[in-house]
Amino acid sequence: MTSIVVGGHYGDEGKGKVVSYLALKDDPAVIGRAGVGPNAGHTVVHIGRRYGLRMITCGFVNPTSHLVIGAGVLVDIKTFLTEVEETGVKGRVSVDGRCVVIEDEHRRADTSENSRKIGTTGSGCGPANAARVNRVARLARDFPELADYLADVPAMVNDAIDAGGEVLIEASQGFGLSLYYGNYPYVTSKDTSASSAAADVGVGPTRVDDVYVIYKAYMSRVGEDPYVKYLTDEEIRGSPVWTRILGKADEKGCQGTGNQKIAQYLGEVGTVTGRPRKIGSFDYELARYSARVNGATQICVTCIDKLFPECSGARKKSDLSREALAHVKGIEDKVGVKATLISTGPDVYDIIDIRDGPRS
Ligand code: GTP
Ligand code: IMP
Ligand code: MG
């Protein structure tokens, strides 16, 4: 089986957590990192340790999987080498020689007035992708620091599929950040849908079996975007769930507007930038549209415990409260796809897995 994991809203939905769970549960032979590049910050919490990864796939938690970075992904050499050390994956991680490398000039260019207006992550991804399109970028194969890691990633991935093995592809960002489908110009420098993720690692659409679209139980957005609807005080007052969370945020001494207090209370801070994320109610319309364009076969709802703390760490659907079940059902009904994974905490195994069929 070949599966792709993508974000269904504006990034930070918890793809890292879901990929690490699938890596342990489904035991893929190969796990591919797709998506834009080190603008992503994926979080894994495993055996009491927290990793914030920007280049290595969160699937590294499975010690027998081979990890690859597809040709479509931008590489930051320093970040990559640091993460190889941190995760101890040398010997089982490969980079496609055709990846574009982010250089100092790209990082400098990502501090421009326009980058600030968009609120980019400042990681140099936009300028590096522009250099790629202008055909002036340098590729991974041109850098001796990467010589030990180079491989033909599409060959490895397709060999694994031919051998009947499990392949997992981790995308980055989210549908609402897509260069094609997001709120242009407040978007990232590439399409972020499942089709692009497949192309990033060199897998044809006919070889993909499952597309997991990940949604957080509420919305969060880091960076500028005047089109996103954020929680207003009125909306908070009109919702028992948000009113309860604001009350707890006040008790804890969180500061600022209602939205800012809730973001602080929920711990919503950018993994890469450290910027506070803005919070919104679940956007059903965007979720449905992104499920369609991504060709979702399964959907996953994360952070259900943040809205419904009584569900923290639940591993069976019957352990969810009535309110939480109703929230998940509302998402399933409006998106039109069954939620087969429900994440109930940051730890890899805090998850309810109700997928059909045998899994290894
Ligand atoms: P991008 O590629 O940057 O979009 O990131 P991402 O989708 O991998 O998500 P990221 O790790 O940036 O943010 C998700 C945050 O929520 C992390 O801090 C996770 O540890 C945490 N998280 C994920 N799932 C759950 C969950 O079910 N409950 C709780 N409490 N935290 C979760
Ligand atoms: P860039 O990708 O750094 O150019 O940033 C463009 C927009 O996408 C900004 O609004 C960023 O905040 C947002 N963005 C890029 N990557 C991520 C991510 O991984 N999570 C959340 N937002 C992101
Ligand atoms: Mg993130």
Side-chain angles (χ1 to χ4, degrees):
M1 296 275 279
T2 302
S3 308
I4 301 182
V5 175
V6 292
H9 277 147
Y10 291 100
D12 307 322
E13 300 94 346
K15 292 176 292 296
K17 147 79 191 264
V18 173
V19 166
S20 52
Y21 169 75
L22 294 175
L24 290 168
K25 180 73 182 167
D26 298 351
D27 196 21
V30 176
I31 308 177
R33 168 69 151 79
V36 183
N39 48 350
H42 292 178
T43 312
V44 188
V45 181
H46 184 44
I47 319 181
R49 230 186 119 178
R50 187 173 200 274
Y51 303 82
L53 297 174
R54 299 172 55 192
M55 291 260 57
I56 300 286
T57 164
C58 294
F60 85 91
V61 293
N62 183 326
T64 62
S65 300
H66 197 94
L67 316 176
V68 298
I69 298 183
V73 180
L74 300 165
V75 172
D76 180 312
I77 295 181
K78 198 165 151 224
T79 305
F80 170 74
L81 294 175
T82 305
E83 291 182 5
V84 168
E85 281 289 313
E86 195 188 337
T87 54
V89 295
K90 192 161 186 189
R92 63 177 184 103
V93 60
S94 305
V95 177
D96 196 284
R98 295 157 288 192
C99 291
V100 160
V101 169
I102 301 177
E103 303 198 58
D104 284 343
E105 63 185 276
H106 303 137
R107 281 182 280 268
R108 271 195 301 277
D110 208 2
T111 59
S112 70
E113 206 182 315
N114 194 49
S115 287
R116 275 203 298 277
K117 186 187 114 193
I118 290 163
T120 71
T121 59
S123 52
C125 287
N129 269 334
R132 180 176 222 157
V133 172
N134 286 327
R135 282 141 297 170
V136 293
R138 289 202 291 164
L139 305 185
R141 65 183 179 220
D142 302 327
F143 289 82
E145 305 92 302
L146 294 174
D148 286 352
Y149 301 95
L150 299 184
D152 178 342
V153 165
M156 291 176 78
V157 172
N158 283 284
D159 283 349
I161 299 173
D162 291 345
E166 192 80 27
V167 169
L168 180 61
I169 300 167
E170 173 186 41
S172 68
Q173 288 73 44
F175 185 78
L177 296 174
S178 164
L179 180 64
Y180 297 171
Y181 305 113
N183 301 329
Y184 190 91
Y186 301 96
V187 292
T188 191
S189 50
K190 197 170 147 185
D191 174 45
T192 53
S193 67
S195 307
S196 289
D200 286 339
V201 297
V203 174
T206 52
R207 310 206 84 185
V208 175
D209 303 289
D210 261 327
V211 175
Y212 293 83
V213 179
I214 316 302
Y215 306 102
K216 212 183 292 203
Y218 51 91
M219 313 278 298
S220 68
R221 174 73 162 102
V222 64
E224 303 308 316
D225 189 338
Y227 302 108
V228 178
K229 291 186 215 84
Y230 302 112
L231 273 180
T232 60
D233 289 343
E234 206 182 343
E235 212 181 330
I236 296 169
R237 275 195 299 272
S239 147
V241 173
W242 289 124
T243 302
R244 189 171 62 214
I245 291 174
L246 181 61
K248 289 196 183 144
D250 279 330
E251 270 169 38
K252 222 177 144 192
C254 297
Q255 300 290 317
T257 62
N259 195 307
Q260 288 163 343
K261 287 182 195 171
I262 288 176
Q264 276 169 43
Y265 179 74
L266 295 176
E268 289 290 356
V269 175
T271 312
V272 172
T273 58
R275 291 179 291 188
R277 294 171 180 154
K278 293 172 197 148
I279 303 301
S281 286
F282 196 94
D283 185 337
Y284 296 100
E285 204 183 321
L286 177 64
R288 182 174 168 78
Y289 194 73
S290 74
R292 295 187 79 192
V293 176
N294 279 306
T297 57
Q298 327 237 9
I299 65 171
C300 171
V301 181
T302 66
C303 296
I304 203 80
D305 56 298
K306 288 200 183 181
L307 291 189
F308 309 101
E310 69 281 8
C311 302
S312 204
R315 295 181 186 191
K316 291 202 301 284
K317 204 168 176 187
S318 53
D319 290 341
L320 292 181
S321 61
R322 271 202 9 228
E323 251 188 326
L325 282 169
H327 189 55
V328 173
K329 174 94 173 36
I331 294 170
E332 288 177 328
D333 288 349
K334 292 189 180 105
V335 173
V337 183
K338 194 175 162 217
T340 47
L341 293 170
I342 302 166
S343 178
T344 58
D347 189 85
V348 169
Y349 289 112
D350 289 340
I351 199 160
I352 300 167
D353 182 349
I354 39 179
R355 294 176 294 164
D356 291 333
R359 303 276 160 180
S360 46

